[in-house]
Amino acid sequence: METVSTNKAFGGVQGVYTHASAETSTEMTFSVFVPEHAPGTKLPVLWFLSGLTCTHANVTEKGEFRRACAEHGVILVAPDTSPRGDDVPDDEGYDFGKGAGFYVDATQAPWSANFRMRSYLEIELPAVIAEHFPADMARQGITGHSMGGHGALTIALRDPSRFRSVSAFAPIVSPLNCPWGEKALTGYIGADRAAWREYDACALIEDGARLPDLLVDQGLADGFLEGQLKTNLLEEACAKAGQPATIRMQEGYDHSYYFISTFMAEHVGWHAERLK
């Protein structure tokens, strides 16, 4: 691991780091905020997965999480959204290829050689965090925005024993039922829609996956709500399955970081309570 930059913030350290990833066969960049803490103390970890076109930098620069993380003593890790580099395949659209890894392990050429974001986040990057930071990996939470909300929900639903807390901001709740998801999963996974179910939060809940609790915030002025995000499908899936969930529809808020930053501190506090 190499350090790109470090800055003091709220008594802690905001760092940006790179490492050579075996899963993606590329250099990967991520950011970590470590609050001030006593030597030898291990702190709980909150993962934040970002949305389409984003990198680690979007939430790092605009998420307004550091004060809350410092107050609650929570490390925040923000990975990139896809592999990058000159040798990595790409697509002209913003919603596929670089910046749009959809947190899957691709099985279709040419994407399968690099686009292994599921394994990267489930196996490889957690090992890096455990080795280099004062992280208590027995106390992990996960959240994310849009495509990253999809990633947070599906990663947690597939492995609920890893996470004590799960939340999301404006998540894509059912890639099986929206244009973004259909394009990405067809390209990365292939045409067999049955193979998509492990990457669809609503389908995972329908198939029996459960979480202790779930918090979702969704803006009612979000231009993607009706066509892409379809929060109502998650509400219906949770209600039918008896999955505990607090799904809050926030009047006047859109899909931007103005929305995310408004509720970020509340999400950090919600996770912190469950990570004690």
Side-chain angles (χ1 to χ4, degrees):
M1 190 185 79
E2 296 185 3
T3 301
V4 176
S5 65
T6 57
N7 296 93
K8 186 171 182 177
F10 296 98
V13 176
Q14 176 64 67
V16 177
Y17 309 91
T18 64
H19 74 116
S21 167
E23 290 291 349
T24 68
S25 300
T26 66
E27 194 89 350
M28 294 294 289
T29 304
F30 60 95
S31 76
V32 181
F33 175 69
V34 179
E36 187 175 19
H37 60 285
T41 302
K42 294 285 189 177
L43 303 177
V45 179
L46 178 59
W47 297 81
F48 185 95
L49 307 186
S50 295
L52 289 167
T53 74
C54 292
T55 69
H56 70 282
N58 297 73
V59 70
T60 304
E61 296 170 1
K62 298 185 289 186
E64 299 186 24
F65 56 85
R66 278 172 286 270
R67 181 187 295 275
C69 285
E71 290 174 356
H72 294 288
V74 175
I75 292 171
L76 190 137
V77 180
D80 203 347
T81 55
S82 78
R84 300 181 191 272
D86 293 340
D87 296 329
V88 175
D90 199 9
D91 184 82
E92 292 182 358
Y94 74 95
D95 53 357
F96 191 66
K98 293 180 186 177
F102 259 81
Y103 304 104
V104 306
D105 278 353
T107 60
Q108 305 298 301
W111 314 102
S112 56
N114 305 107
F115 282 73
R116 296 184 50 80
M117 292 302 294
R118 172 180 175 174
S119 292
Y120 177 70
L121 290 172
E122 290 182 349
I123 301 169
E124 186 173 26
L125 188 55
V128 174
I129 299 301
E131 179 181 356
H132 294 282
F133 299 93
D136 182 353
M137 303 305 281
R139 293 187 291 159
Q140 295 185 66
I142 191 167
T143 187
H145 170 233
S146 193
M147 179 186 72
H150 142 77
L153 294 177
T154 56
I155 289 172
L157 283 162
R158 288 192 304 263
D159 188 7
S161 64
R162 176 181 164 191
F163 300 100
R164 293 192 186 182
S165 56
V166 185
S167 75
F169 300 87
I172 301 170
V173 305
S174 184
L176 277 158
N177 293 290
C178 74
W180 279 341
E182 290 178 357
K183 178 178 180 177
L185 296 183
T186 299
Y188 293 136
I189 308 299
D192 181 6
R193 293 174 66 89
W196 300 6
R197 294 185 69 82
E198 62 184 327
Y199 295 114
D200 184 297
C202 292
L204 285 164
I205 291 169
E206 290 169 4
D207 292 345
R210 295 290 182 271
L211 297 169
D213 200 359
L214 179 61
L215 172 65
V216 172
D217 276 309
Q218 171 62 60
L220 284 169
D222 189 327
F224 299 115
L225 175 57
E226 297 301 323
Q228 301 281 10
L229 307 176
K230 302 188 177 183
T231 311
N232 63 294
L233 296 180
L234 181 63
E235 291 180 300
E236 293 166 7
C238 289
K240 185 176 180 180
Q243 165 65 54
T246 301
I247 299 175
R248 309 187 301 191
M249 307 303 290
Q250 303 288 4
E251 188 70 42
Y253 287 93
D254 59 17
H255 199 67
S256 71
Y257 269 87
Y258 295 109
F259 158 63
I260 297 168
S261 63
T262 299
F263 298 100
M264 178 65 87
E266 190 173 347
H267 277 240
V268 171
W270 185 88
H271 283 274
E273 282 294 315
R274 288 152 179 80
L275 295 172
K276 285 182 178 177

